[in-house]
Amino acid sequence: MNPSTLIELPLRYKPWRARHLKLVIRDMGGAARQPEGEHLAHLRGAIDWLCRAQDVRDGHTDAGGVAAGWSFEDGWLPGYPETTGYIIETFLAAAPVLGCLELLDRAQRMIDWELSLQADDGAFPGHFGEPGSHPVIFNQGQIMHGLVAGYTQLGRQDCLEAGLRAGHWLVAQQDADGCYRKFEHNGVPHVYNTRAIWALAAMGVVGNEAGFIAAARRNLDWALTQQRASGWFATNAFVPTRHPFTHTIAYAIRGFIEVGVLLSEPRYLQAAEAAARGIMAVQREDGWLAGTYADGWVAHGSYACVTGVAQMALCWLRLAQLTGDERFRSAAQRAIDYVKRTQRLDDEDEVVRGAIPGSAPIWGAYSRFEFPNWAAKFFADALIMDLGDSVVPPVPAAARGRAR
């Protein structure tokens, strides 16, 4: 972006504001140029920022939810049920690593907030839960991840009960072929729902619900029909006319990995590995990945979807654990290092310090001019997993060694 472009930005981004202008000018000098520190320093930065996102009120009245992020357009956003759900897992994982018991209390408050939003039929609201918002399949699954964690890690029976109601709602929306066509973002199917179905499968395992397991298999079997010879997935973008972001590609891969583990299903793991190797082959030496990819892993866009880079680090780390192939670990570490260079740990601005941008440069097409909370979440997960060669979230005990 050259300086003349600034005056062409839509007015809703308010580029004239000092904070916004400073961030744009910094990235004009080259995105991802911050120094790389130790994992723990970057982890503390990301978790501290997520705590601020949970604490912010700024006109909002959420009592435990984590703000969706901060944007040029709206400042701090309202609490986001979808991503608060899976941030519960992150805080539970980070608490012992950072020696911070406060994170356990924060996770409990997130759970309480989520449970207050569930409807009688088991559905959770989509978007920010504002009046008139409708449930969304993907969002439902991400909230269920938090309920699985609340039950398996904190022993909360109310999480199991709510999770079972949520799972029955998910199963009821599924078409006979395993695809979801109702309650979908933009009204179209998405392969990346595999990450939601991961939560359904986990709840099926811990809650002994065979119907959940069968529905999970149906969805992933449908998703397999969308995989191309290159390993890339069709029907995986937010809208059909566009290429999928690295973000949704990683969502799909992680879903295949973890459902494959839960159900001891080699076909799902093989699909994940094919996609993960395909995108690994086009990763730059500095860890950068393009914002979107077409079939054959043809890159589109000159920006990085930083969120997706962090997520791919998670996928590669998980596959390194499962396959023993250290090339996956090396790719993950390059990705982590890249994300580190987008995080400012010493910035005096509390909005910026510790945050992870949606894109690099910040005006890239994914979460443009935003610091989304899920970017910080996935980066924190990757750091925790790499530090201890652990799994975030841990595989439920009921699934370990489970036979098909």
Side-chain angles (χ1 to χ4, degrees), residues 7-39:
I7 61 174
E8 299 171 8
L9 290 174
L11 293 181
R12 69 177 188 270
Y13 293 126
K14 307 174 183 70
W16 57 85
R17 289 188 173 177
R19 173 187 274 163
H20 303 179
L21 191 60
K22 182 179 181 181
L23 289 168
V24 170
I25 290 173
R26 280 178 174 176
D27 273 11
M28 287 171 63
R33 289 190 175 180
Q34 302 306 301
E36 296 171 33
E38 297 296 323
H39 275 20

Side-chain angles (χ1 to χ4, degrees), residues 205-222:
V205 169
V206 302
N208 196 28
E209 283 283 345
F212 292 7
I213 302 297
R217 286 191 182 279
R218 286 194 298 271
N219 179 255
L220 267 74
D221 286 348
W222 171 82

Side-chain angles (χ1 to χ4, degrees), residues 46-57 60-70 76-91 103 106-111 113-114 117 127-128 371-377:
I47 295 296
D48 286 350
W49 185 88
L50 285 169
C51 289
R52 290 196 292 277
Q54 186 181 25
D55 292 341
V56 70
R57 288 300 174 262
H60 307 307
T61 58
D62 305 321
V66 182
W70 180 90
W76 282 108
L77 298 166
Y80 199 9
E82 175 201 332
T83 59
T84 296
Y86 55 36
I87 290 171
I88 293 165
E89 305 166 335
T90 301
F91 275 32
L103 296 177
R106 286 180 174 277
Q108 296 274 18
R109 287 194 285 122
M110 291 180 209
I111 292 171
W113 181 69
E114 295 282 22
L117 301 175
H127 202 236
F128 300 138
F371 294 116
N373 71 20
W374 53 98
K377 174 263 187 323

Side-chain angles (χ1 to χ4, degrees), residues 243-324:
H243 303 302
F245 287 115
T246 310
H247 168 59
T248 58
I249 291 169
Y251 268 157
I253 294 172
R254 188 75 194 276
F256 269 106
I257 292 171
E258 301 302 343
V259 177
V261 169
L262 285 168
L263 306 188
S264 299
E265 181 51 80
R267 293 182 303 130
Y268 303 156
L269 290 169
Q270 289 162 6
E273 188 173 346
R277 288 191 187 281
I279 195 169
M280 183 170 66
V282 294
Q283 183 190 34
R284 284 192 334 206
E285 282 300 313
D286 65 356
W288 182 93
L289 292 168
T292 65
Y293 286 94
D295 188 8
W297 305 105
V298 178
H300 287 265
S302 57
Y303 68 96
C305 171
V306 183
T307 314
V309 177
Q311 291 172 260
M312 280 310 309
L314 286 167
C315 294
W316 287 324
L317 285 170
R318 196 71 177 98
L319 287 167
Q321 294 170 343
L322 293 167
T323 68

Side-chain angles (χ1 to χ4, degrees), residues 127-204:
H127 202 236
F128 300 138
E130 65 274 21
S133 63
H134 298 290
V136 177
I137 297 300
F138 186 81
N139 300 35
Q140 181 90 353
Q142 308 326 302
I143 296 168
M144 287 177 64
H145 279 292
L147 300 179
V148 171
Y151 174 62
T152 60
Q153 298 183 57
L154 298 175
R156 290 187 55 159
Q157 188 69 23
D158 56 354
C159 287
L160 176 62
E161 294 166 358
L164 292 174
R165 291 198 304 276
H168 284 298
W169 183 89
L170 262 184
V171 173
Q173 313 315 315
Q174 190 180 55
D175 289 342
D177 64 352
C179 182
Y180 283 92
R181 297 177 177 87
K182 298 177 292 186
F183 297 104
E184 279 286 70
H185 181 54
N186 291 324
V188 294
H190 300 101
V191 166
Y192 64 73
N193 277 335
T194 57
R195 198 185 196 283
I197 300 311
W198 166 18
L200 181 67
M203 189 59 71

Side-chain angles (χ1 to χ4, degrees), residues 36-44 340 343 345 383 387:
E36 296 171 33
E38 297 296 323
H39 275 20
L40 281 175
H42 286 276
L43 176 61
R44 287 191 188 96
K340 282 182 176 181
Q343 186 189 37
L345 293 178
L383 292 167
L387 274 165

